[in-house]
């Protein structure tokens, strides 16, 4: 009897596209409802999506509700990002942007309202997420699971909030 699957097929890379995303809820979440499928700077596009979602949802959510949403989003993100990374065969694929979304919501929760402060926070957050200064780089390299995907962006959010707090002082 001849096998119908070849070893080469099993090792072929998985294409992160809208069809792949729509097959599982975990992928839809991890890909930031499609924002992570941008061919250009998906992390930045995911962060912009987070900002837009924050502006829309902030009309109905107070700080306590945001805190619950962010905590739940982080917990769900550990599952969704970890599962999607395993499905893709890549520990932290560039299309996985839920980590940016939740982390930037955390930033926006504490940054003063207004376009100037939020724009500065956006630039700072993207800087820390891209450059990954210590210890972010260490955790990004060592933690290769759903928690690791989420954790390095939460550290970038912490750095952003730290600088904003120092600037406000």
């Amino acid at each position: 009897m001849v096998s119908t699957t070849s070893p080469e097929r099993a090792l072929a890379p998985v294409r992160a596209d809208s069809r792949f995303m729509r097959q599982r809820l975990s992928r839809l979440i991890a890909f930031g409802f499609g924002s992570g499928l941008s061919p250009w700077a998906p992390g930045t596009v995911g962060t912009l999506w987070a900002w837009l979602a924050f502006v829309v949802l902030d009309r109905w959510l107070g700080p306590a509700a945001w805190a619950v949403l962010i905590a739940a989003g982080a917990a769900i993100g550990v599952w969704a990002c970890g599962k999607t990374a395993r499905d893709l065969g890549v520990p932290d694929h560039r299309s996985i942007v839920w980590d940016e979304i939740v982390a930037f919501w955390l930033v926006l929760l504490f940054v003063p309202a207004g376009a100037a402060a939020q724009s500065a926070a956006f630039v700072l957050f993207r800087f820390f997420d891209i450059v990954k200064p210590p210890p972010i780089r260490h955790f990004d390299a060592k933690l290769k699971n759903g928690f690791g995907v989420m954790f390095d962006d939460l550290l970038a959010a912490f750095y952003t909030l730290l600088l904003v707090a120092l600037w406000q002082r």
Side-chain angles (χ1 to χ4, degrees), residues 44 47-48 51 104 117-127 160:
T44 299
T47 306
L48 288 170
W51 195 356
F104 197 59
Q118 291 180 353
S119 295
F122 174 83
V123 170
L124 286 171
F125 176 73
R126 291 307 301 142
F127 172 79
T160 301

Side-chain angles (χ1 to χ4, degrees), residues 50 70-71 73-74 97-107 150 154:
I70 291 165
V97 297
W98 187 251
D99 48 338
E100 279 90 359
I101 291 169
V102 172
F104 197 59
W105 283 347
L106 179 63
V107 169
M150 295 298 297
L154 292 172

Side-chain angles (χ1 to χ4, degrees), residues 73-131:
I76 289 167
V78 169
W79 163 75
C81 295
K83 175 129 181 49
T84 302
R86 284 189 304 277
D87 292 347
L88 287 166
V90 179
D92 192 357
H93 193 276
R94 66 190 307 258
S95 295
I96 296 174
V97 297
W98 187 251
D99 48 338
E100 279 90 359
I101 291 169
V102 172
F104 197 59
W105 283 347
L106 179 63
V107 169
L108 291 172
L109 180 60
F110 291 101
V111 167
Q118 291 180 353
S119 295
F122 174 83
V123 170
L124 286 171
F125 176 73
R126 291 307 301 142
F127 172 79
F128 289 127
D129 188 34
I130 292 166
V131 173

Side-chain angles (χ1 to χ4, degrees), residues 55-78:
V55 168
V56 171
L57 293 173
D58 199 44
R59 296 175 182 176
W60 298 285
L61 301 177
W66 269 114
V68 169
L69 180 61
I70 291 165
I76 289 167
V78 169

